[in-house]
Amino acid sequence: MPAEEGTENKEEGADVIETIQELSSLPRHWMDVTADASLSCSTAKAGNGPELLLDGNVETFWQSDAQLPHTITLEFQRRMKLKSLCLYISLAEDDSYTPLAFSIRFGTYRDCLQLLRGVNLDCPNGWVVVPLVDPNLADVTDTTLNTRDAPPLRTHILEVVITKNAQTGKDCHVRQISVYAEADLQRHAPTVHSSSEAMRLFGELR
């Protein structure tokens, strides 16, 4: 049965990870920056490629095509201030293809990524929202931390390493992926002219 909005995985051995049904419930000052990244996967089954992770349709899915572990890598051209990784995972739909354990790695170069945290899930059905916190400034596994206000993870690369599926399944399904960052207010602020500049522009328009 699908998880209710805002539910959490609380079974023994599972992390306290929020599961939501709509990304619109995330903070409004966060920006979806997934489209700014180059996305790649370790393998893919024919007809279920990485592009389906970004098609906006939770009825489709990427499927791996090899032995565990499986990876999803997002590479940004500049260092980002990331707040949250969101994966749409459905035990109800995908059964033994459902990822139940994965780790998150980050860094500047692919060959020297660092471990940020591990995640264990119980019955994921919906958007699994994993907070991304600067490990130098906060304990990323502290469940008492208000992660929405915690310092963001600054990185060029974000990688998901799937290490376990339900019922010891070999391949996995992930239906969607989204990454959220702090809004860059300088990039999106409207241009403000001084009064003298505004009068000059007004005169030119006349």
Side-chain angles (χ1 to χ4, degrees):
M1 179 179 294
E4 295 298 324
E5 183 79 12
T7 59
E8 299 171 341
N9 287 275
K10 294 183 179 179
E11 297 297 321
E12 185 176 357
D15 292 347
V16 181
I17 297 294
E18 186 179 14
T19 302
I20 60 178
Q21 297 305 307
E22 299 292 340
L23 292 178
S24 58
S25 62
L26 294 174
R28 291 187 177 183
H29 63 279
W30 289 6
M31 291 176 54
D32 186 344
V33 295
T34 319
D36 294 342
S38 172
L39 183 145
S40 61
C41 297
S42 51
T43 61
K45 191 81 170 178
N48 295 98
E51 69 278 2
L52 299 181
L53 290 166
L54 306 174
D55 67 356
N57 183 3
V58 297
E59 299 300 319
T60 63
F61 52 84
W62 160 67
Q63 180 177 322
S64 63
D65 191 24
Q67 297 290 335
L68 290 162
H70 310 300
T71 61
I72 304 171
T73 307
L74 297 108
E75 195 164 355
F76 296 91
Q77 292 187 347
R78 63 188 180 94
R79 191 167 70 156
M80 307 292 284
K81 299 177 181 178
L82 302 181
K83 295 292 291 183
S84 182
L85 166 70
C86 304
L87 299 172
Y88 197 97
I89 299 174
S90 176
L91 180 63
E93 295 291 336
D94 296 322
D95 201 32
S96 64
Y97 289 89
T98 308
L100 293 184
F102 58 89
S103 59
I104 298 174
R105 303 195 298 177
F106 72 101
T108 303
Y109 305 104
R110 283 196 178 212
D111 58 354
C112 57
L113 297 179
Q114 304 175 55
L115 176 65
L116 178 68
R117 65 174 298 167
V119 176
N120 294 288
L121 304 173
D122 179 45
C123 297
N125 282 293
W127 285 101
V128 176
V129 181
V130 184
L132 301 176
V133 177
D134 188 332
N136 298 312
L137 300 176
D139 179 358
V140 297
T141 62
D142 183 0
T143 57
T144 66
L145 182 68
N146 183 354
T147 49
R148 294 194 176 193
D149 297 325
L153 174 68
R154 299 169 183 261
T155 187
H156 283 88
I157 299 174
L158 190 70
E159 186 168 81
V160 180
V161 184
I162 297 167
T163 55
K164 178 183 176 182
N165 294 320
Q167 303 174 28
T168 66
K170 181 186 76 170
D171 284 313
C172 68
H173 291 176
V174 178
R175 292 176 171 264
Q176 292 288 289
I177 187 169
S178 288
V179 181
Y180 282 79
E182 284 189 340
D184 188 338
L185 299 180
Q186 290 296 109
R187 289 177 61 195
H188 298 278
T191 303
V192 178
H193 298 287
S194 65
S195 57
S196 58
E197 178 70 3
M199 289 297 293
R200 184 185 67 80
L201 292 173
F202 177 71
E204 291 179 357
L205 289 172
R206 292 183 66 191

